[in-house]
Amino acid sequence: MKKIIIPTMFLVGFLSTTLVGCSQTNGQSSGTASSTPTSTDSSATSSSQDLSGADLVYVNWNLGTADQNNLERQMVAAFNSTYHKNVKIVENVNTGAYEDALTAMAAKDQMPDVFMLTNTTFGLSNQYLADMTSYASADADWAKIPSSVADATKYKDKVYAIPFAIHMMGYFENEELLDSKNLSSLSVSPSWDDFYNVVSTLKQPANKIMGLNIETTLFEWYPAQINANYGWFSFDGSKYNLDSADFATAMNLTKSLRANKMTFDSMTAEERTAMGYDDSVKFWNDGKLGLRWGYTYEIPDMIANSTFDKKFIGVPGKRTPIVGDYLGISPTCKDPALAYQFAKWMSFDPAGIKKRLEIDTNGSLFSSLPLSTDSSVISAYFDAKYNRVPGLEEAFRASNNGVVEGVKIIPGYGKSRWLARAGKNVTITIDGTPTTNPQVGQVIDQCWLGNIAWADYKDGLNAIANQAYQDALSSFQSIYA
């Protein structure tokens, strides 16, 4: 049986209510990398913690422990020192049930003033988010946030979230492997033909090399490359377009890569074993893979675990996929102006970003890209002393036109993309077992795997995806004018 790799970033969170963005909890990382929070305590919060005298109360899953004193905690301390304030961190938050922890705090009238959001739907439907439009509109630095990310904070043209971090998705190139096979390095945002030429030329399992690791994400971002009206997963701002010709093109490309075994993941277990590897990350680290789909927050690990020259090329097309993290400010906050100032410091404030760079002397802790297009910030972040991966700056400079991944910002996305049921009249075979009323994600998987025809299911899946979106909207749209 073939092993199917589905990026855990998209799946893990929905198995525990929702996907959230992310921290590394070893005390050495900034907490701006995207992954699932880890539980630190079985209770919602520490019942004995004294929060009296705080100017603001802050909750995030990326803070580690006081003893670790990671970059995030140092940033909070730097804010307190710079502005002579007393922002207190809520300790021992159960990050394994983060939404439950926030709900429990809200029920006790202890809602934190500033907090990390799992997704905007959670915040809006529970009325946990204050309207920050007046502060953002009056702030010249807000206009310097990459517009694709800033736009994702809005509902009905009002700002309800503060961007906290920005990461890019796309392909990383092993420049040395390409050069050894007389292939030119790909440009940032290459053409599909140039991209495919590298993938096909490096498909040499007999020589224990391959061109590409996985194909499974392509149909989520590629429709937006061929249709400027589309965002992630063909969403156009009001509906999905899974029944469109553009989405069918992306699905067919994904299916073709799989059927023709153009990726490491599409090889059988026996074929991978013959190459000496079962893990595509190890395959990449050992210099055997030409192109690796990945995330910019993975760069420190890539550098630590491999020695060849790398380049970030984004994706074929001109719109690099983006993952955002977002902060919320509670409507119960007594000083929203200060809360906005603090959230800004932790995220898109040029002074705050430069403070992160000052603390992170070797570029290993601050894993987010800068959340500002301010020229002085870009110069500081991409200073030669940090030895940033080639291609990254060019891709970042085009981030205004990026495609923001939908998990945290499109209402009902989890159900539209994965969890909604296809109906009792639908039966498909999964791993040899007939499955009636499968989930949407299971039907989609069987289509790109080539086991069923996309044309037979696209209309029904599109209707289900859009109904899930409308159902999610109905949980809060009447609350907001």
Side-chain angles (χ1 to χ4, degrees):
M1 180 176 68
K2 293 182 180 179
K3 178 181 178 183
I4 303 171
I5 298 175
I6 306 295
T8 55
M9 172 182 181
F10 298 142
L11 293 184
V12 170
F14 287 115
L15 297 177
S16 59
T17 305
T18 185
L19 178 123
V20 294
C22 349
S23 76
Q24 300 172 3
T25 56
N26 61 6
Q28 299 302 313
S29 297
S30 70
T32 54
S34 283
S35 82
T36 306
T38 302
S39 178
T40 58
D41 190 272
S42 59
S43 59
T45 62
S46 172
S47 59
S48 60
Q49 185 178 0
D50 181 10
L51 297 174
S52 62
D55 293 309
L56 293 173
V57 173
Y58 181 48
V59 166
N60 207 317
W61 56 68
N62 65 1
L63 295 160
T65 67
D67 288 342
Q68 290 170 334
N69 193 33
N70 67 7
L71 176 57
E72 298 306 307
R73 285 179 178 267
Q74 292 181 60
M75 284 297 295
V76 175
F79 179 85
N80 286 336
S81 174
T82 300
Y83 296 103
H84 308 291
K85 298 296 180 182
N86 184 18
V87 177
K88 288 191 176 183
I89 294 168
V90 178
E91 305 289 356
N92 300 322
V93 172
N94 182 2
T95 55
Y98 183 78
E99 291 185 354
D100 292 341
L102 287 177
T103 300
M105 284 184 270
K108 297 176 182 178
D109 293 325
Q110 296 174 355
M111 191 68 186
D113 299 298
V114 183
F115 56 95
M116 184 71 99
L117 275 169
T118 54
N119 59 77
T120 54
T121 301
F122 170 74
L124 289 168
S125 61
N126 286 289
Q127 300 182 61
Y128 290 162
L129 301 179
D131 178 0
M132 304 307 293
T133 308
S134 61
Y135 300 99
S137 298
D139 184 1
D141 288 323
W142 182 271
K144 298 176 183 178
I145 299 171
S147 58
S148 57
V149 178
D151 289 346
T153 67
K154 297 178 180 179
Y155 177 63
K156 292 188 176 180
D157 294 324
K158 295 182 179 180
V159 174
Y160 287 100
I162 309 297
F164 177 76
I166 175 176
H167 313 284
M168 287 185 170
M169 295 179 273
Y171 296 101
F172 292 85
E173 175 188 274
N174 179 341
E175 292 187 288
E176 294 179 19
L177 180 58
L178 267 67
D179 183 65
S180 73
K181 301 303 177 183
N182 297 314
L183 290 167
S184 299
S185 175
L186 289 168
S187 62
V188 174
S189 300
S191 69
W192 176 264
D193 288 345
D194 287 346
F195 172 82
Y196 188 78
N197 179 57
V198 169
V199 173
S200 59
T201 301
L202 292 180
K203 180 196 170 185
Q204 300 178 28
N207 294 324
K208 299 184 179 181
I209 63 172
M210 290 292 291
L212 185 61
N213 57 340
I214 61 172
E215 70 281 2
T216 54
T217 64
L218 193 146
F219 59 83
E220 294 174 313
W221 55 263
Y222 193 71
Q225 310 303 321
I226 52 181
N227 189 325
N229 294 319
Y230 291 171
W232 189 261
F233 199 51
S234 81
F235 189 71
D236 65 9
S238 61
K239 67 182 184 307
Y240 293 98
N241 296 274
L242 304 182
D243 58 348
S244 67
D246 295 320
F247 195 89
T249 295
M251 182 62 72
N252 287 334
L253 287 174
T254 310
K255 176 182 172 182
S256 177
L257 289 171
R258 187 77 182 185
N260 292 298
K261 294 187 176 182
M262 304 302 293
T263 66
F264 180 89
D265 184 46
S266 62
M267 309 298 285
T268 66
E270 292 76 17
E271 289 167 333
R272 291 195 299 269
T273 298
M275 291 191 292
Y277 294 86
D278 188 52
D279 178 7
S280 65
V281 174
K282 176 66 173 172
F283 196 61
W284 162 264
N285 288 341
D286 287 352
K288 306 292 186 180
L289 187 64
L291 296 169
R292 171 184 168 177
W293 171 266
Y295 308 86
T296 53
Y297 61 76
E298 296 176 304
I299 289 175
D301 284 339
M302 290 188 192
I303 292 173
N305 293 300
S306 60
T307 59
F308 53 83
D309 292 336
K310 306 162 191 68
K311 178 181 177 180
F312 181 71
I313 64 166
V315 298
K318 299 297 182 183
R319 304 177 65 193
T320 301
I322 289 172
V323 180
D325 287 334
Y326 306 91
L327 296 173
I329 294 175
S330 171
T332 62
C333 177
K334 295 180 180 179
D335 193 343
L338 179 62
Y340 178 86
Q341 182 186 16
F342 171 69
K344 175 181 175 179
W345 168 266
M346 297 296 291
S347 56
F348 69 91
D349 188 345
I353 295 170
K354 291 173 184 177
K355 174 58 70 172
R356 285 184 180 274
L357 294 170
E358 177 187 320
I359 297 170
D360 181 19
T361 55
N362 64 3
S364 64
L365 305 180
F366 182 20
S367 60
S368 171
L369 290 161
L371 255 175
S372 176
T373 58
D374 181 274
S375 59
S376 66
V377 168
I378 294 176
S379 295
Y381 184 89
F382 290 103
D383 189 286
K385 68 182 179 182
Y386 293 112
N387 196 28
R388 305 291 185 191
V389 171
L392 194 60
E393 181 176 358
E394 183 178 345
F396 174 75
R397 287 183 179 276
S399 58
N400 281 338
N401 196 38
V403 181
V404 180
E405 172 265 1
V407 174
K408 299 174 189 175
I409 62 170
I410 303 177
Y413 183 81
K415 289 186 176 180
S416 295
R417 169 64 180 86
W418 288 293
L419 301 180
R421 293 288 175 177
K424 294 181 180 180
N425 61 329
V426 176
T427 299
I428 61 175
T429 299
I430 302 175
D431 294 334
T433 301
T435 302
T436 298
N437 196 17
Q439 293 178 327
V440 164
Q442 293 174 313
V443 179
I444 291 173
D445 286 346
Q446 294 307 308
C447 288
W448 63 259
L449 285 168
N451 297 328
I452 56 179
W454 176 249
D456 294 339
Y457 293 89
K458 63 183 178 65
D459 293 336
L461 292 177
N462 190 60
I464 293 168
N466 281 306
Q467 187 60 55
Y469 169 67
Q470 291 297 329
D471 290 346
L473 275 183
S474 68
S475 71
F476 61 82
Q477 63 181 350
S478 63
I479 301 171
Y480 300 91

